[in-house]
Amino acid sequence: MNTSAASGNSSLTSTSASTLNGPSEYGFTATTADLFLANPAPHGQHGSSPGRVVRLDRNRVLVASNSGLVHLPYPDHGLVPATGDWVWLGHNRAGEPAVVEVLPRHSALSRKRAFESSSEEQILGSNIDVVAVVVPMDRPLTHNRLERTLVAAWDSGATPLVVITKADLADVADDVVSEVILQAAGVDVITTSAEQGDGLDELRQHIPAGATLVLLGPSGAGKSTLINALAGRDLQQTGAVRTGDGKGRHTTTSRELVPLADGAVLMDTPGVRGFGLFDAEDGVDEMFGDLDELFALCRFGDCSHQSEPGCAVQDALVDGTLDQRRWQSYLKLQRELAALSRKHDAAARRAYQREWHQKVMSADRGQRAVERYRHDQAAERSGKRRKR
């Protein structure tokens, strides 16, 4: 990341935030201008200008500048751009327009790449202010999925929000909303019906001018319909949802920024089938803060929360104040993050291997001791029989 001061580039010493122009319809504000001034363009890039990544295509990057949208090649160094990145626009070595620098991100929504063997991070979007987890009312609520997505939302550095869609299609709306509010404690929950226009004004209050909101949810959850309703025009294709798997027929296929009339920005995303967490310890702490309070009540500081006497977690599971499903979800997330950490951290991996080696050796020694004991007992009994 380029974090050098603006004074380090003579081409910007006379530039101020008030004279630096960027794509205001894509969230460029005075605060954004300060970010550019604090991270000047690379040396030799005179006349460079601010831009924001609107969409990533296979071989090109769609960038919004003060003069409009332009397709540019990927930068040949530095950070790989993500949708939502603020970038310096200049020229490459061939003199062609290009992205020459990706600025530091104040937030980033990420997940582990989809294939199981990977431990790489996939940035879904950056410089996001609000992550709206979309929960459609026309299908059963998946508790583990909601928890997992909220963990990623907390960990992104943005503010989590839950948006319930298609409220007009369900007869059990109140029950679902109550469940979501209980599970997403500490997170605002908005119930919407894009078809009826319900809840849209409340949602707009969470994305003031210059703010960026990302809609995150499964395919067919109503994200595109919601975007069209917020924009007041058809920006995204929508279609019927298949009854077999709940997927939309004409849903979003790429992450893309969508400007709204009031200066706010929406980031539409494809339906996310799975959400492998990546380095999300902070998000887990936020989502499961009630468990930390229980851990502090355990009799022993190193309690494993399994069978120790005085374990507050086990007591809470017995008396029903802690839901068994929630506890198992927490354990699963912790195992997943620990496995990911071992892939990244060679020292942690070696420590993990040593720990298991010691356990195996200990178990082996214990087994040999049992066998020796049994052998000695058998020999003793045999000797007594001979004496008789």
Side-chain angles (χ1 to χ4, degrees):
M1 291 184 182
N2 182 5
T3 56
S4 58
S7 59
N9 190 317
S10 59
S11 66
L12 291 175
T13 54
S14 61
T15 304
S16 65
S18 61
T19 60
L20 194 62
N21 295 319
S24 58
E25 68 274 25
Y26 284 93
F28 187 88
T29 63
T31 301
T32 314
D34 290 336
L35 174 67
F36 277 90
L37 293 176
N39 297 274
H43 181 72
Q45 288 291 337
H46 299 287
S48 52
S49 61
R52 193 175 193 188
V53 176
V54 173
R55 189 181 68 236
L56 301 180
D57 296 326
R58 184 178 298 274
N59 299 314
R60 311 284 280 183
V61 182
L62 181 63
V63 181
S65 68
N66 194 44
S67 57
L69 297 175
V70 57
H71 272 101
L72 300 173
Y74 277 76
D76 57 6
H77 68 282
L79 284 176
V80 176
T83 301
D85 273 336
W86 291 106
V87 297
W88 276 112
L89 303 178
H91 296 83
N92 58 22
R93 295 176 182 177
E96 302 169 332
V99 173
V100 296
E101 190 76 31
V102 178
L103 270 63
R105 299 157 176 156
H106 72 75
S107 66
L109 178 66
S110 64
R111 68 171 177 176
K112 185 176 76 66
R113 289 193 177 276
F115 44 95
E116 187 66 27
S117 61
S118 172
S119 61
E120 297 180 2
E121 181 182 22
Q122 179 186 20
I123 303 294
L124 300 181
S126 66
N127 300 313
I128 300 162
D129 299 291
V130 180
V131 175
V133 181
V134 178
V135 179
M137 193 76 77
D138 62 346
R139 65 193 72 176
L141 175 64
T142 307
H143 294 278
N144 290 351
R145 181 194 185 97
L146 177 58
E147 283 176 346
R148 178 178 292 266
T149 312
L150 283 172
V151 166
W154 277 116
D155 202 66
S156 70
T159 300
L161 177 70
V162 175
V163 177
I164 297 176
T165 59
K166 306 183 181 182
D168 56 297
L169 301 180
D171 298 327
V172 292
D174 291 341
D175 294 338
V176 174
V177 172
S178 298
E179 288 185 55
V180 172
I181 291 176
L182 182 63
Q183 189 170 356
V187 178
D188 288 341
V189 178
I190 300 174
T191 302
T192 67
S193 169
E195 297 292 339
Q196 303 292 333
D198 296 336
L200 299 183
D201 289 340
E202 185 180 359
L203 179 55
R204 289 189 182 98
Q205 294 175 7
H206 286 78
I207 43 174
T212 299
L213 175 144
V214 61
L215 295 174
L216 194 65
S219 178
K223 300 188 301 295
S224 296
T225 303
L226 190 58
I227 285 179
N228 290 341
L230 289 170
R233 60 192 189 279
D234 290 340
L235 295 173
Q236 304 288 311
Q237 286 186 320
T238 61
V241 176
R242 296 197 297 258
T243 57
D245 55 13
K247 296 179 181 178
R249 290 192 178 93
H250 301 291
T251 51
T252 306
T253 57
S254 63
R255 285 171 285 278
E256 183 172 356
L257 298 184
V258 178
L260 301 180
D262 56 4
V265 182
L266 282 174
M267 183 184 297
D268 193 14
T269 62
V272 179
R273 181 176 301 178
F275 216 104
L277 297 180
F278 183 88
D279 191 22
E281 287 85 356
D282 292 342
V284 171
D285 291 342
E286 289 283 356
M287 188 63 198
F288 295 92
D290 57 318
L291 296 183
D292 284 335
E293 296 177 3
L294 282 178
F295 298 159
L297 298 176
C298 291
R299 180 185 300 178
F300 303 108
D302 60 348
C303 183
S304 66
H305 316 300
Q306 294 180 1
S307 58
E308 294 90 339
C311 174
V313 172
Q314 291 301 318
D315 291 344
L317 289 171
V318 171
D319 63 28
T321 55
L322 174 60
D323 183 56
Q324 182 69 237
R325 184 212 57 77
R326 179 171 171 79
W327 174 241
Q328 292 302 321
S329 177
Y330 171 81
L331 294 178
K332 182 178 180 180
L333 292 176
Q334 290 289 359
R335 290 194 297 269
E336 184 176 326
L337 292 174
L340 185 63
S341 176
R342 289 194 297 273
K343 288 183 179 180
H344 278 280
D345 190 339
R349 184 165 60 250
R350 288 194 296 270
Y352 177 77
Q353 292 170 343
R354 285 197 301 271
E355 177 185 353
W356 274 104
H357 177 71
Q358 291 170 357
K359 288 183 178 180
V360 170
M361 293 298 294
S362 176
D364 184 62
R365 287 194 297 270
Q367 182 63 33
R368 290 200 302 270
V370 169
E371 291 174 355
R372 284 198 300 271
Y373 175 79
R374 290 175 177 172
H375 179 271
D376 293 343
Q377 289 293 309
E380 183 177 348
R381 288 193 296 270
S382 177
K384 288 181 179 179
R385 286 195 294 269
R386 284 196 296 270
K387 288 179 180 180
R388 291 175 184 173

